[in-house]
Structures are given as C-alpha cells and as structure tokens.
Amino acid sequence: MAADSLLLRQGNASGITASVVKLVDRRAGASSESREWAFQREVEAALYGNGYAGQTGAVYRLLKRSGVQGGTLPLKKACIQEGIVTQAEFEWLRDYLGDVRSFTLIPLDALRSALSVYGREERSKALVAALGLALPDDWEEDEEDEDGEEEEDGEEEEEDGEEEEDCEEEDDDGEDDEDNDDASVAATEVMDEQREEEGFSSDAEPEEAVTSPPGTAAPPHVASERKKVKLAKFEVSAALARQLDALDAHRAVALNVERAGGCVVSATRESDRARILRFIQWMNDTIAFKSPPTLTVFAHSRIGPVAHQYIKELVEKHGRKYSYAAKMAASFVIAAKFVASRRTTTTANAAGDTPVAQLAALHRQCRQQARQQDQFDVSGKAEFLDWEAVQRVRVAAEKALGSAKTKAAKLKLIRDVTILRLLADQPPDRVGVVRTLRLGGSLKRKPDGSYELDLSEPGAHKTSAVFGATRTSINASISPWLDRYITAAEIPADGHIFHARGDKRVVIAPSAWSKCVKATFARHGDVALCPKDARASFITFLRSDDHDDETVKAAATAMRHSSKIQASATYDKGLSDGT
C-alpha cells in the first residue's frame, strides 16, 4: 500500500476534527488484513479538549478500563527497523500529525468499545460523527436512562495472588463511641449533601499514554498481625472515572496556572489515584451514598472528620503505620485542592476551615505521629538480608535452575535469576525502572548484543525531573540472562520484560511486582525481601564498608536518589540499627 493512500477519511463534527487511516498491523500474531485506526492524539484532543500540550494518561486509562488497551499500536522510528511499519508509512503518518517523534494508533473497533465506557456526551458524540463510527452499543440504552448516564466498572481485575486490602471494613471492636458518632454524622452529611456533578475535563490530555496500571492496586505488604477483610467490589461510575482522568491530566501537563507546583510523574499519580479510590470505596461501603460517589465529596465542609474516622480505622483496626496514613491524607489533600480549583466558591465549616485546610491539618498530624512512631518503634521490623546474603540467594537460584526438569519450571527459574541479577549485579535501580523495562523502550539492545537502559524521555522514572535524561549500559553479566528470559518467555519486540498475566504488552502492576520479587527471594533465601529493601541492602553495604565518599555519591546518582535519602534510616539499615 502506498504511503499516500493511508488516509481513509477525515471528518469534522461540532468543531472536532478526526482522521481514519488504514494500515496493516505487522506485529506477531496480528491479522494480515488492513485495519482502520484513529490517532490517539486526535482522540485525546476531542475528548479532553486541550490539544497536544503535554503527556497524560487520560485516554490510556479509558482504553485500559475498557479492556482494549493491548490493541493500540505505538509507533516511533525504531519500529521501522523492527518491521512494524515501513519508512514511507511512518514518515507520512508522522508528518500528517506535524512531524512528531512518536505517536499511537487506536483500532476503531477498540475505540468504539472505549467510547461505550466513556459515555454519551457532546464530545464523544462529535468524535463518533467525525470518525464515521457506528454508535457504541450501550449508547442507545443510555437515551432511555433517566439520568442519561450509566455506571461502569473502573476497577481492574485483580492479579492472581495479590495481597488483600488491609484497610477494609470489619466489625466494631469497641472504639470510642463519641468519636465514632461524630465522624459518622459527618459522613452521613457528606453522603446526603453530595454536590452536583461538574465537568472536570478541561485540562490538557494529549500525547502518549503512560504505561502504568490504574488505581485499584493492593496496598504494601501487610504484616501478619494485621487483620484482613474483603470489601465488596466497588463499581466506579463513568463520571468518577472521568474526574479521576481529569485530575491526572491536571497534575501531568507541563504548564498549568491552576496548579501551585510542577508536573507530577506517572508513578506518583498512579499511587494517589489508588489511595483516593480506596477512601471513596470505604465511604461507599461504610455509609451508603444516595447517588454514585464522585470527587465532589472532597468539597464537603465536613470531609475532614470523615477522613479522620477512616485513618483512625487504618491505624487502630488494621495496624497500619502513621507513615502510611500520612500518604493517604496527602492524596486526599490533592483531590480536595483539585475540586476546589473547579469551584467559584469554597465551603467552610463553622470554624472557617475549608475542606482543603481540614485535610491538610490531618496530613500534618499524621506526619508528626509518623516521625515519633519511627523513632521509638523498634519492634516488628521485617526480616532483612545483607548484601552478601542477597548474593547467596542469587547463586541458590542459579543452582536450582541447573536441576529444573520441566519447561515451566525452567522458565520460572530463568525469570527468578533474571530478577536477582538485575537487583544484585549492579546498584539496584529504582523499583519502577526495573518493573517497567520494555524492549525497544527503556531497554534497548545494542549492536554488540549488550543492553542499554534508556531513560531519556521526560517522566521516565520517579526522579527524572531531578536527574534528567540518562542512557546507561546494563552490566554485562546480566545481558545473557535477559536474552534467555526474553527468548524463553517469548517477549515481543515492544513487550514488557515483566508483564501482566496474559498480555506481554501490559506492564506488571506495582503490587504484583512487589509480590513477585518477595516470592523470588523467599524461594531461594527464606526471606521475602521486597524490591526497595534490595536497594537498602546495597546501600547499607556501601556505607558500612570501606568505600570513599566519591563512590558513595556515585552510587546515589546511579540509584537515582539524593545523598540525603541514601543516608537516611529508610535505606541505611546500619544507621537504623545503631551501628
């Protein structure tokens, strides 16, 4: 097919312009027939209305919630060498968008499914008309719905074996009745006076999708003494999902006069989204809403007492530390500030406190308690492995591989060794960097067969704004194991090394990755060491042995954290043990 015949049609409706192109999907396992595609950039501009100003994950999240994200076709110059697109096709598509570096195509059938989840609105109706799509199946039903809008299930299917939530509802265990009554009254008011829906979709929503899973991931490791209960499945309404996407866009776009600070990396945004959803789920299960909950609950004048009740349960019923509670409260402040920025008036209680002020005070108090708790709590610390023991675990895994008999056992052990090599043969990188390794993306194979870690894109990792773009070589001892695992696991050219079950183009969820690493250490070393503690093990070794200051500083740079963080008790366990 000639490159100039790629454009199938271009349409315009209600001021929205969208194009349809025809292209063969040449990835492994795809049909050889041409398919019709839409530009993700144009879809983002149409649905969220602010052009191509910055990178967010709004459309990615929509596709992910709809279960069709795996069918999208990300294209960049490297795809020409990989045979996914011809040079003429790539140049035509790129120039059609305005000479961009990379872009993503969405199959029209997948987009139609996603628009069914998005719902019937002026923007989505205009996009359907511009693309010449048939109306999504659910839209006709929406016309008969009294509210004109349906709920959707915004939760992702849980990864097999993920840890259960430990901040869930359970029977009353005799907490102070007066405090609970006051908080319950406040909670009831929040439910009864939930404010009218607002359209929180005015921030920029363009560019490529962030590759991180949406926010209902399980919390960090739960100590054995903590109580575990299961909340009923929480259905996220279409309105709440759109508001969460708009919040994500609000924080991700590079320039935003409504935001006090700079843009926020995807890993942090994902964590905040998960915590906000967790709190809304708790409210929904504790005291029934009269209508599906949305972010507008964070504008209620007594959201502070409700959040206080939730955090009290986290600490007293479920044994969570105040450091965890402080993170939850910080996410609530973010949601409240976002909602407040969309309102012309701000609600205050009798004492003159705004919802933001209430939640900010709760956050400060949790942080204060966390500092005290960290200073005096020396019991119940998780088991730890020193750096020498980490090396022994790696060796044990390699020995186990030598005696494996079945193909499945060998694959699992090759993966174990690959993980351990990545964590033990070089200064362990940030958890998110290793978890999200993708062929042709952050992990590139060099002509000599070795590998390069390419973190040259903005937002490539949590501290990219501080450390900037980097391209570094992977230790030579790791490359053969990467080759073995990529071959054995049949990782596609654009696939994630560590991926979600059943889809190698979707990165493994943070909670599932933590569980995987801990299980790997437990299998070969009897201690379930988490990825962050593998970093701590190396830092403790580095700072407790005979290494000069330059070496220690160089390691901090290689591990993408500051020397101050490196020297803290969070990482230097020798310091925290008083040695």
Side-chain angles (χ1 to χ4, degrees):
M1 179 183 292
D4 59 3
S5 65
L6 291 175
L7 181 62
L8 194 60
R9 60 183 178 273
Q10 184 183 62
N12 185 287
S14 301
I16 286 178
T17 300
S19 312
V20 176
V21 295
K22 195 171 185 179
L23 187 71
V24 175
D25 187 349
R26 299 185 180 92
R27 293 175 294 189
S31 170
S32 60
E33 298 294 326
S34 294
R35 300 183 68 184
E36 295 183 359
W37 311 78
F39 291 103
Q40 180 170 307
R41 288 179 171 224
E42 291 186 342
V43 173
E44 288 174 338
L47 294 181
Y48 298 97
N50 202 18
Y52 307 156
Q55 290 186 342
T56 74
V59 169
Y60 172 83
R61 293 181 189 279
L62 174 62
L63 295 167
K64 186 81 172 177
R65 289 197 309 274
S66 309
V68 296
Q69 191 276 333
T72 60
L73 181 61
L75 293 175
K76 55 186 176 181
K77 200 168 185 179
C79 294
I80 299 172
Q81 295 179 336
E82 296 168 3
I84 296 174
V85 65
T86 68
Q87 182 165 345
E89 289 169 341
F90 180 80
E91 290 179 352
W92 188 93
L93 292 166
R94 180 196 62 187
D95 293 344
Y96 184 80
L97 286 175
D99 195 23
V100 296
R101 293 177 57 189
S102 62
F103 51 91
T104 296
L105 301 177
I106 306 173
L108 288 194
D109 54 352
L111 178 58
R112 187 168 176 267
S113 298
L115 290 173
S116 179
V117 171
Y118 181 90
R120 177 191 283 268
E121 291 189 348
E122 290 303 317
R123 289 179 180 274
S124 55
K125 287 192 295 184
L127 178 61
V128 166
L131 292 172
L133 289 177
L135 289 180
D137 296 334
D138 293 344
W139 279 17
E140 293 180 358
E141 297 175 8
D142 286 347
E143 289 182 316
E144 299 173 3
D145 193 311
E146 180 178 301
D147 295 327
E149 191 171 56
E150 284 194 355
E151 293 184 357
E152 58 145 334
D153 181 4
E155 286 192 326
E156 292 298 309
E157 182 177 350
E158 283 190 338
E159 292 287 337
D160 289 346
E162 280 189 358
E163 296 170 10
E164 292 181 323
E165 289 278 5
D166 66 336
C167 52
E168 299 162 338
E169 181 187 9
E170 58 183 25
D171 294 335
D172 181 33
D173 59 356
E175 288 186 328
D176 186 88
D177 290 337
E178 183 178 350
D179 288 347
N180 279 337
D181 287 346
D182 180 67
S184 296
V185 169
T188 303
E189 291 178 1
V190 171
M191 312 311 164
D192 289 347
E193 300 176 23
Q194 183 181 339
R195 292 164 178 264
E196 183 178 356
E197 292 293 329
E198 284 189 292
F200 293 149
S201 301
S202 59
D203 289 294
E205 302 282 337
E207 254 290 348
E208 304 306 321
V210 292
T211 52
S212 50
T216 53
H221 176 63
V222 180
S224 59
E225 68 271 18
R226 292 176 184 154
K227 300 176 182 179
K228 298 179 182 179
V229 293
K230 192 69 176 174
L231 281 173
K233 190 177 179 75
F234 174 55
E235 293 190 354
V236 178
S237 68
L240 175 56
R242 287 195 295 273
Q243 290 176 355
L244 289 167
D245 289 346
L247 169 60
D248 186 80
H250 175 82
R251 304 178 70 204
V253 67
L255 301 177
N256 189 342
V257 296
E258 295 179 346
R259 190 183 62 217
C263 60
V264 182
V265 296
S266 61
T268 302
R269 302 197 313 266
E270 289 286 354
S271 297
D272 288 322
R273 183 188 183 104
R275 295 179 192 124
I276 291 166
L277 271 174
R278 217 169 284 157
F279 179 44
I280 292 176
Q281 179 176 6
W282 173 85
M283 286 193 288
N284 188 66
D285 283 24
T286 302
I287 303 173
F289 284 93
K290 286 187 174 181
S291 58
T294 67
L295 289 185
T296 53
V297 297
F298 287 97
H300 194 276
S301 61
R302 300 203 69 194
I303 188 66
V306 179
H308 169 258
Q309 180 185 353
Y310 174 65
I311 286 176
K312 187 174 181 180
E313 287 192 12
L314 288 183
V315 174
E316 297 184 5
K317 283 189 176 182
H318 303 293
R320 299 312 300 250
K321 289 189 174 181
Y322 273 108
S323 56
Y324 177 81
K327 290 180 180 179
M328 296 296 295
S331 298
F332 305 163
V333 173
I334 289 165
K337 285 183 176 180
F338 174 68
V339 174
S341 73
R342 296 300 195 269
R343 294 179 175 276
T344 57
T345 59
T346 302
T347 302
N349 64 15
D353 292 334
T354 65
V356 173
Q358 293 177 34
L359 295 171
L362 189 62
H363 175 231
R364 288 193 300 272
Q365 292 160 10
C366 286
R367 290 185 62 187
Q368 182 182 31
Q369 291 298 318
R371 285 192 293 269
Q372 183 173 337
Q373 193 173 58
D374 288 343
Q375 289 174 350
F376 292 97
D377 182 15
V378 295
S379 63
K381 292 188 180 295
E383 291 184 272
F384 188 71
L385 293 175
D386 61 28
W387 193 240
E388 184 178 348
V390 169
Q391 300 300 326
R392 288 197 297 268
V393 171
R394 174 185 58 78
V395 172
E398 292 171 12
K399 287 182 178 179
L401 175 60
S403 59
K405 303 298 183 185
T406 67
K407 183 178 179 180
K410 288 180 180 178
L411 174 59
K412 186 174 183 177
L413 287 166
I414 291 172
R415 184 198 64 182
D416 285 359
V417 175
T418 303
I419 290 172
L420 292 169
R421 284 276 182 175
L422 285 166
L423 296 176
D425 281 19
Q426 59 189 21
D429 216 315
R430 297 202 71 91
V431 176
V433 170
V434 179
R435 177 179 67 86
T436 59
L437 287 174
R438 183 172 64 85
L439 283 178
S442 58
L443 184 65
K444 291 184 169 64
R445 188 182 275 112
K446 297 195 288 188
D448 62 1
S450 62
Y451 288 90
E452 179 181 63
L453 181 63
D454 184 353
L455 300 177
S456 58
E457 296 294 326
H461 60 90
K462 188 173 182 179
T463 52
S464 58
V466 177
F467 290 90
T470 60
R471 289 191 179 94
T472 54
S473 296
I474 299 288
N475 194 309
S477 65
I478 302 173
S479 295
W481 291 102
L482 284 169
D483 286 336
R484 287 186 69 176
Y485 181 59
I486 290 167
T487 301
E490 300 178 345
I491 308 295
D494 60 344
H496 286 278
I497 303 301
F498 307 110
H499 47 268
R501 186 183 299 273
D503 193 341
K504 297 181 175 66
R505 289 187 171 88
V506 176
V507 68
I508 188 172
S511 56
W513 171 244
S514 180
K515 185 176 181 64
C516 174
V517 172
K518 289 191 286 187
T520 299
F521 274 101
R523 271 193 295 275
H524 307 291
D526 296 326
V527 172
L529 198 71
C530 68
K532 184 176 179 180
D533 280 346
R535 286 165 58 82
S537 178
F538 177 74
I539 292 170
T540 303
F541 155 75
L542 197 68
R543 295 179 62 84
S544 61
D545 213 332
D546 188 19
H547 298 100
D548 58 36
D549 290 343
E550 289 303 314
T551 301
V552 174
K553 289 180 181 177
T557 300
M559 297 173 75
R560 302 175 222 285
H561 57 222
S562 67
S563 296
K564 180 179 179 180
I565 291 295
Q566 185 187 61
S568 70
T570 301
Y571 281 128
D572 187 354
K573 300 302 180 181
L575 174 66
S576 64
D577 289 342
T579 59

